Amino acid sequence: MPFGHDMVYSLATVVDLVNTSPSTGGDEGLADLDDLAEFVRARQVSGIEALTPRDLGQVRMLREDFHRVFTATDQANAVRLLNTLLADTRITPSLTEHDGHPVHMHYFAPDASLAEHLAADCGIALAHLLVEGEWERLRTCSAPGCARVFVDESRNRSRVYCDSRTCGNRMHVAAYRARRRA
C-alpha cells in the first residue's frame, strides 16, 4: 500500500482498537481505565493527559463504529458509515514530529478528547484507503470462532487470517490432520 508511516500507523491503531471489542470473538479488551491507558501507551497516542470514565465510554462506542466500517457489506456502505463518523468529528490537520517519528500528519483538533483524536486520525486513514480503491483490504479473520479484523497488506490481497502464527497456524494444522485422517 502506498501510504506513509502515519497512515500505516493509524490503520494499525484502528485494527488494534476494534480488536479490543468482545464482538470480535474475545474478551472485553477495554474493561477499565487501566486497559484504556495501556492502549494509549502501547499505540503511542500523543497529546492525551488524563483519562476519564467518559473517555472509556466514548472510545468503546467509537470502536463499534469502526467495526461496522470493517464489516460493511460493500464499499458504498463502508463509505456511508465512515462519512457519518467523520461528519461528527472535529478535524484540524497539522504537521507534527514527535516521539522519534518523522514529520507526519495529525488530523485531530488541539483540544480533542481521546475518542475525537482516534476518530480523526484513524477515520482519515480509513478514508484514504477507500479513496485509493482498497476497500477489500479491510477484512475479518476467516478462522472459525475468530472475528478479529485486519488490513490485508499483502501484494495480492490474499491474506485471510488475522495472524498467521495463531489462526493461520491453527487452520493449517487442522487441515493437515484432516488430510491424515482421510
Side-chain angles (χ1 to χ4, degrees):
M1 293 185 307
F3 295 129
H5 157 75
D6 54 331
M7 287 296 149
V8 171
Y9 199 81
S10 292
L11 289 171
T13 298
V14 72
V15 164
D16 285 353
L17 176 63
V18 171
N19 286 333
T20 66
S21 175
S23 63
T24 61
D27 294 330
E28 172 61 71
L30 296 177
D32 55 30
L33 285 176
D34 289 338
D35 290 342
L36 185 59
E38 175 57 24
F39 177 83
V40 168
R41 187 203 60 73
R43 294 307 310 162
Q44 297 178 337
V45 180
S46 62
I48 302 300
E49 300 299 322
L51 297 170
T52 67
R54 184 173 187 221
D55 289 317
L56 181 60
Q58 289 175 338
V59 169
R60 284 178 177 167
M61 288 189 313
L62 177 64
R63 79 175 172 195
E64 298 311 318
D65 290 340
F66 280 134
H67 187 250
R68 284 188 282 281
V69 173
F70 271 85
T71 59
T73 55
D74 56 35
Q75 183 169 337
N77 195 27
V79 167
R80 184 187 57 75
L81 291 165
L82 193 55
N83 274 337
T84 299
L85 187 150
L86 290 172
D88 293 334
T89 304
R90 295 180 304 142
I91 296 177
T92 307
S94 64
L95 289 168
T96 186
E97 186 175 20
H98 60 86
D99 298 324
H101 299 294
V103 174
H104 59 281
M105 291 293 293
H106 279 194
Y107 295 95
F108 57 93
D111 61 341
S113 68
L114 175 58
E116 291 173 316
H117 180 133
L118 293 170
D121 282 357
C122 296
I124 292 294
L126 287 171
H128 280 288
L129 194 73
L130 295 173
V131 165
E132 292 296 323
E134 301 287 353
W135 172 76
E136 69 276 358
R137 289 188 183 272
L138 301 180
R139 303 267 175 89
T140 302
C141 187
S142 294
C146 183
R148 293 173 59 88
V149 301
F150 63 94
V151 176
D152 180 2
E153 296 179 46
S154 66
R155 277 189 185 181
N156 61 358
R157 297 172 181 88
S158 62
R159 186 173 159 197
V160 294
Y161 303 118
C162 63
D163 185 355
S164 61
R165 290 171 301 208
T166 54
C167 288
N169 189 46
R170 182 169 44 92
M171 297 309 300
H172 290 115
V173 167
Y176 171 78
R177 289 180 179 159
R179 286 192 305 272
R180 299 275 293 169
R181 281 191 300 269

